[in-house]
Amino acid sequence: MTSTPIKLKIPAQDLAAPTRFSANVADVSNWLQSLPDASLAGELSSALAELNSCAISPQVRYDILEVLRPQVENANAQLARHYLNQSPLVSTDVLGHAEQADQLCTLLGTAYTIVGVEVCTQGGAGKTAKLACEAIHRALMCCGRAVLQTMQLYRPLHMDGWMNLHQLYALAQQQKIAELPVPDPLDAGPTITAAYLQAILLGCCQPNRSRQSDLAVLYKALGDWSQHVALHPTPSDGSLFVVDIDSDQPPLYRHLVPEETTGRRLYLDTAQLLLDLRELHERALRTGATFESGSRLPVNILEQVVAALSTKRSRTFKRMLSRKTLAISPGMKNCHYYVASGLIFEQVLYGAIFEASRLIKEERFTPPLPNTDIWHEANPHEDFIHSTMNQAQEWVQLDEASRARLFRDEIDDGLADGVSHYPVYQVPLADVSPGGYCLDLDPAFPGVLRTGELVCLQEDNNSAWQIAVIRWLHMPSESRLLAGLELLSPRARAFGACIHDKSGKKTPPMRALLLPEIKIIGQAATLVTPRAGFREG
């Protein structure tokens, strides 16, 4: 590895000095204090781009960057509010915020790379080697954050993104500083190797199958877990993935890389990490994995990581191109409604003659409670209107379809804007297989899709509503989103479920779906509930 040239691109330092501030820490601090929050990201981008073209000694440049870095992190946090926790098919304005965040990470990473390259070129030991180690570690941290931000948007990494990661690690290996501990590693791994593997492992963990918030927690965890992964020039029994550090490619399954391929390969040995994760999984089976920062990684994400690092994924069914459209309605609330033949949740619990007029009035003027069920504060004994009429006078005979339509029309007519609470979208298909569908969406799609979200779907107006889950999202371009749906069941039944605590108290009912047993594939009957504290027993 020592004889191969390093392929890192850095701008020419053809400016004598920066124009926004003098090249010293005190003046940079004063300049930062004068910046308004509204223009922080733009000013930092311009300042970093200019600084990267200035001829400054490595130590002075590093000291300036350490002052700028916290403000870059603040600016990135502000920008993230505009593009996270919404549909990946964002508007042009929102996409601009994401691109600006990526640019900030790239510029800061380039600045630290300049320090590392210049120090390594000049040679030396002691403090000089320490500066090179810290600068390369910071550069890898910036590159890793760019990887995280890109994967949170389900997009491919920009050109040279993986190449920069690989080559920074190769430079550290060449200088024999990859395993030196970094005094202040921040939220990256404690060594250059660990920081490099933190980003590499994220690419191995099927990030397009995770939610944005879960990816952020997972990335922090990988900073610690990466210390239990080894890189070897030759494969071993625990080597499922391989990286070519001379390429601009993410980690790949080892069996997909031909043996005759040129380039320097490093094989990831995750055997020890898998042992640790399986032990952690047993401890966290009911509560999830909790970290010192207070962040919690759901058990299902932990299971996904173990599966991704231990077995190679391959398609079970053959995909066939399709130009048909599919009716979908995402979310547990919508699935419950359509599976129940158009009955609202209260009607499922207390019968189709449940009085809905009060519910309509409350929904018209009262904002919905965040992250709670509509039934959370309802009182069925007060909401159900008891009449003095005898039962024969009170009952009206209606067939099921008419009754469902009557209540649906009553609720929809009561909405101020006339928009249904349970939207259905007609979406085009990219391909189909016996196990599911691939949706092909464009920016005109009005809904929001998230990985792991329940979806009910219908192939035509006369067919039953099927239950599926969004397994993965991928954006091959800015105007196209592919969503993979895995079929769970051809039908379901709608119920309400309560959590019983140890004292005997129970929560208000929450929506639940019962998926029937499918004997032909050995699938037992399954109860689908919200992400709450349910457990078997």
Side-chain angles (χ1 to χ4, degrees), residues 496-508:
C498 300
I499 299 176
H500 293 253
D501 61 23
K502 294 181 180 179
S503 65
K505 296 180 180 179
K506 62 181 181 180
T507 65

Side-chain angles (χ1 to χ4, degrees), residues 439-475:
L439 309 182
D440 193 348
L441 308 173
D442 59 31
F445 178 70
V448 177
L449 299 181
R450 296 182 177 88
T451 57
E453 189 169 35
L454 213 61
V455 175
C456 62
L457 55 91
Q458 194 177 47
E459 293 189 10
D460 56 68
N461 292 333
N462 298 321
S463 63
W465 287 95
Q466 303 179 70
I467 302 299
V469 64
I470 301 173
R471 282 300 182 205
W472 54 264
L473 297 173
H474 175 59
M475 289 204 68

Side-chain angles (χ1 to χ4, degrees), residues 54-164:
C54 292
I56 305 173
S57 69
Q59 185 64 61
V60 172
R61 188 188 302 274
Y62 182 83
D63 293 340
I64 291 174
L65 294 176
E66 287 296 277
V67 176
L68 292 173
R69 177 181 48 76
Q71 295 304 317
V72 171
E73 293 172 353
N74 290 338
N76 267 337
Q78 293 176 16
L79 292 169
R81 297 172 186 168
H82 295 280
Y83 62 83
L84 292 182
N85 300 317
Q86 56 182 298
S87 172
L89 284 168
V90 295
S91 65
T92 304
D93 292 339
V94 174
L95 182 60
H97 293 298
E99 291 175 345
Q100 194 170 23
D102 181 75
Q103 183 184 42
L104 275 173
C105 286
T106 301
L107 287 170
L108 186 61
T110 300
Y112 281 116
T113 299
I114 293 172
V115 176
V117 169
E118 288 184 347
V119 172
C120 292
T121 302
Q122 295 170 5
K127 290 185 178 180
T128 304
K130 178 176 178 292
L131 178 60
C133 179
E134 293 179 354
I136 294 174
H137 182 275
R138 291 285 196 267
L140 280 167
M141 181 188 70
C142 295
C143 292
R145 287 180 179 173
V147 171
L148 171 63
Q149 290 172 182
T150 303
M151 291 183 174
Q152 284 180 311
L153 293 173
Y154 308 104
R155 299 171 183 268
L157 196 60
H158 58 77
M159 185 178 294
D160 292 332
W162 290 110
M163 172 70 82
N164 290 337

Side-chain angles (χ1 to χ4, degrees), residues 329-506:
S329 190
M332 170 64 89
K333 174 185 171 182
N334 294 351
C335 291
H336 198 275
Y337 176 78
Y338 287 109
V339 165
S341 300
L343 297 180
I344 63 173
F345 185 40
E346 293 78 7
Q347 293 166 352
V348 172
L349 294 176
Y350 301 103
I353 62 170
F354 179 85
E355 178 59 59
S357 59
R358 177 177 175 180
L359 181 64
I360 296 169
K361 294 176 183 177
E362 289 178 351
E363 287 182 345
R364 190 183 295 177
F365 301 106
T366 306
L369 296 172
N371 301 322
T372 61
D373 201 290
I374 293 175
W375 189 240
H376 182 67
E377 293 192 352
N379 188 333
H381 301 293
E382 294 179 1
D383 290 349
F384 193 96
I385 298 177
H386 295 274
S387 173
T388 57
M389 298 171 62
N390 61 48
Q391 192 174 38
Q393 293 174 307
E394 190 172 357
W395 277 94
V396 176
Q397 296 296 327
L398 291 174
D399 61 271
E400 183 176 350
S402 299
R403 184 170 64 244
R405 185 168 59 254
L406 174 64
F407 278 97
R408 180 169 63 250
D409 292 344
E410 181 182 359
I411 293 172
D412 288 346
D413 290 343
L415 297 175
D417 57 5
V419 178
S420 172
H421 273 186
Y422 310 93
V424 175
Y425 307 108
Q426 297 291 333
V427 297
L429 293 173
D431 58 58
V432 299
S433 74
Y437 302 87
C438 178
L439 309 182
D440 193 348
L441 308 173
D442 59 31
F445 178 70
V448 177
L449 299 181
R450 296 182 177 88
T451 57
E453 189 169 35
L454 213 61
V455 175
C456 62
L457 55 91
Q458 194 177 47
E459 293 189 10
D460 56 68
N461 292 333
N462 298 321
S463 63
W465 287 95
Q466 303 179 70
I467 302 299
V469 64
I470 301 173
R471 282 300 182 205
W472 54 264
L473 297 173
H474 175 59
M475 289 204 68
S477 67
E478 295 179 1
S479 59
R480 189 184 183 201
L481 172 66
L482 300 178
L485 303 187
E486 178 186 346
L487 286 175
L488 298 180
S489 178
R491 61 188 185 279
R493 294 180 63 188
F495 289 93
C498 300
I499 299 176
H500 293 253
D501 61 23
K502 294 181 180 179
S503 65
K505 296 180 180 179
K506 62 181 181 180

Side-chain angles (χ1 to χ4, degrees), residues 314-318 433-434:
S314 58
R315 293 177 182 172
T316 307
F317 303 107
K318 182 180 179 181
S433 74

